[in-house]
């Protein structure tokens, strides 16, 4: 069973469209995250949710809206996609304590805006 | 604010050479965790090690070893007898505990190329 699963793995879409990326974890973790990796490989936190409550919201355009229906899911919705949104988006989760490996990452979603 | 610096953008070595990847961090927190991740060409992030701020013991795992020095705020990673399969981008990362900011702050990564 995949611990943190993201769908889709690849997403190609036109500018101006709205798209969503889904993330689910089956580890029982209470905190979930979205990270963005740009073309230069820089990895940066976008959002963090703890038990469905938003706790980190970095400087991200408000076209990006995370939604957490329950603590096992954290979806990312992007409105009016722009070329600069092209990147790899990673979902991750972590337990309340930071035991073990601390963070488990999904395999990433490569978003290409054309 | 927290910061992680990986000054080496890219390193190229020949197979069987030893290589050290540098990581320097900044944090005001007294309790924090340091990590190393590997990102092979396939793109996934592979966990390598997690170290808490109270444990300065060096660690060895096979060909991998880590040197944590709080006095210099460094957490360096050495690969002994490198292999082609070690070719990847390696990220050092930090998470703070006391601030409640549990998200990882990543360095910019070091691309390691191991030539046969």
């Amino acid at each position: 069973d995949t611990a943190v699963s993201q769908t889709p793995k690849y997403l190609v879409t036109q500018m101006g469209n709205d798209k969503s990326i889904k993330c689910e974890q089956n580890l029982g973790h209470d905190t979930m995250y979205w990270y963005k990796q740009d073309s230069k490989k820089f990895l940066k936190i976008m959002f963090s949710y703890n038990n469905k409550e938003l706790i980190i919201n970095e400087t991200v355009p408000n076209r990006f809206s995370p939604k957490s229906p329950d603590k096992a899911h954290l979806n990312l919705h992007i409105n009016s996609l722009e070329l600069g949104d092209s990147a790899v988006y990673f979902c991750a989760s972590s337990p309340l304590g930071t035991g073990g490996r601390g963070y488990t990452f999904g395999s990433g979603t490569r978003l290409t805006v054309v | 604010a927290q910061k992680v610096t990986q000054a080496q953008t890219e390193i190229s070595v020949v197979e069987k050479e030893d290589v050290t990847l540098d990581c320097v961090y900044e944090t005001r927190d007294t309790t924090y965790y340091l990590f190393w991740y590997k990102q092979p060409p396939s793109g996934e992030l592979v966990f390598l090690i997690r170290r808490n701020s109270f444990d300065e013991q060096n660690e060895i795992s096979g060909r991998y070893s880590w040197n944590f020095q709080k006095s210099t705020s460094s957490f360096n990673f050495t690969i002994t007898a490198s292999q082609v399969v070690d070719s990847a981008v390696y990220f050092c990362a930090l998470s703070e505990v006391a601030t409640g900011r549990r998200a990882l702050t990543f360095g910019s990564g070091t691309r390691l190329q191991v030539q046969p």
Side-chain angles (χ1 to χ4, degrees):
Chain A
D1 279 346
T2 303
V4 178
S5 60
Q6 298 179 226
T7 54
K9 189 170 176 60
Y10 300 97
L11 183 54
V12 181
T13 187
Q14 290 188 326
M15 282 176 56
N17 284 350
D18 302 339
K19 290 293 179 185
S20 292
I21 307 172
K22 295 185 176 181
C23 179
E24 175 182 5
Q25 55 97 2
N26 61 7
L27 298 166
H29 289 171
D30 68 318
T31 306
M32 295 185 72
Y33 312 83
W34 278 109
Y35 290 85
K36 178 180 179 180
Q37 185 172 41
D38 65 20
S39 58
K40 295 185 177 179
K41 296 287 191 179
F42 291 125
L43 270 161
K44 191 173 180 186
I45 182 70
M46 299 174 68
F47 301 104
S48 171
Y49 268 75
N50 185 314
N51 280 324
K52 303 192 299 176
E53 181 183 348
L54 181 66
I55 57 174
I56 294 176
N57 183 350
E58 294 293 294
T59 307
V60 176
N62 57 16
R63 298 182 295 103
F64 289 78
S65 54
K67 286 186 172 49
S68 182
D70 56 61
K71 76 172 193 175
H73 296 83
L74 180 61
N75 304 323
L76 183 64
H77 189 77
I78 316 170
N79 290 327
S80 304
L81 277 154
E82 301 178 356
L83 293 176
D85 298 331
S86 295
V88 179
Y89 293 85
F90 286 97
C91 178
S93 69
S94 70
L96 179 61
T98 48
R101 297 185 169 190
Y103 300 85
T104 302
F105 283 85
S107 57
T109 296
R110 182 175 294 277
L111 171 65
T112 303
V113 182
V114 297
Chain B
Q2 67 284 352
K3 184 179 178 182
V4 177
T5 301
Q6 294 179 256
Q8 302 152 308
T9 305
E10 187 162 346
I11 301 175
S12 183
V13 300
V14 177
E15 213 171 11
K16 297 184 183 175
E17 284 186 23
D18 299 347
V19 58
T20 295
L21 309 182
D22 297 333
C23 174
V24 174
Y25 63 91
E26 296 175 29
T27 177
R28 294 178 186 168
D29 204 342
T30 56
T31 306
Y32 51 89
Y33 290 89
L34 295 164
F35 299 78
W36 276 95
Y37 287 87
K38 174 183 180 180
Q39 188 173 42
S42 52
E44 73 272 23
L45 287 165
V46 178
F47 169 86
L48 295 178
I49 190 172
R50 168 179 167 269
R51 174 67 71 203
N52 77 54
S53 52
F54 297 110
D55 183 0
E56 286 193 72
Q57 276 194 331
N58 291 331
E59 180 152 342
I60 298 174
S61 176
R63 295 184 298 106
Y64 295 169
S65 62
W66 291 269
N67 184 332
F68 175 30
Q69 292 195 345
K70 283 180 79 170
S71 60
T72 55
S73 297
S74 65
F75 186 43
N76 297 337
F77 172 33
T78 297
I79 302 174
T80 303
S82 59
Q83 300 176 0
V84 172
V85 293
D86 296 327
S87 298
V89 180
Y90 291 86
F91 292 96
C92 182
L94 165 75
S95 72
E96 297 173 328
V97 176
T99 61
R101 180 185 170 81
R102 294 162 56 200
L104 288 167
T105 297
F106 285 90
S108 55
T110 297
R111 183 181 297 276
L112 175 64
Q113 293 193 338
V114 182
Q115 310 288 348

